[in-house]
Amino acid sequence: MDVEHGDVWEALRPLCARVMSVPPEAVVPQARLVADLGADSLDITELEAASEELFGVSLRGTDKTGVSTVGDVADLIVRMRAHATHSPLAR
């Protein structure tokens, strides 16, 4: 896990625990948002909004195909942050 991914993970873990009302120990990279953590559509929407505020990226309107675990969310945030950094609009 690189530094960027580690930083995202350290901030994402307590955020997921709070949004989904689960203990932080339950939030592991392989935990499935719906099946393991009990997330519903409102939780997912809240997680998207909180991630936007915390990480400075918008997950709304992104292709979330294949995003089912907490680790997938962390990967998506890392990719979105990297894309925003390299975007000509970010300059």
Side-chain angles (χ1 to χ4, degrees):
M1 186 180 298
D2 62 20
V3 173
E4 171 74 8
H5 202 274
D7 291 346
V8 167
W9 174 251
E10 288 303 314
L12 183 62
R13 188 174 191 197
L15 176 64
C16 286
R18 180 183 58 76
V19 168
M20 292 163 214
S21 301
V22 297
E25 308 81 54
V27 182
V28 294
Q30 64 274 18
R32 295 169 296 174
L33 297 170
V34 176
D36 298 328
L37 302 179
D40 60 20
S41 59
L42 184 59
D43 293 330
I44 300 298
T45 301
E46 186 177 343
L47 184 61
E48 288 177 343
S51 294
E52 183 173 335
E53 185 176 316
L54 184 61
F55 299 109
V57 296
S58 177
L59 303 181
R60 298 173 205 191
T62 60
D63 181 13
K64 294 179 205 66
T65 304
V67 176
S68 62
T69 68
V70 179
D72 294 338
V73 174
D75 292 342
L76 178 59
I77 291 169
V78 169
R79 284 195 312 270
M80 295 299 294
R81 289 179 71 169
H83 178 72
T85 301
H86 298 330
S87 170
L89 298 176
R91 295 177 188 158

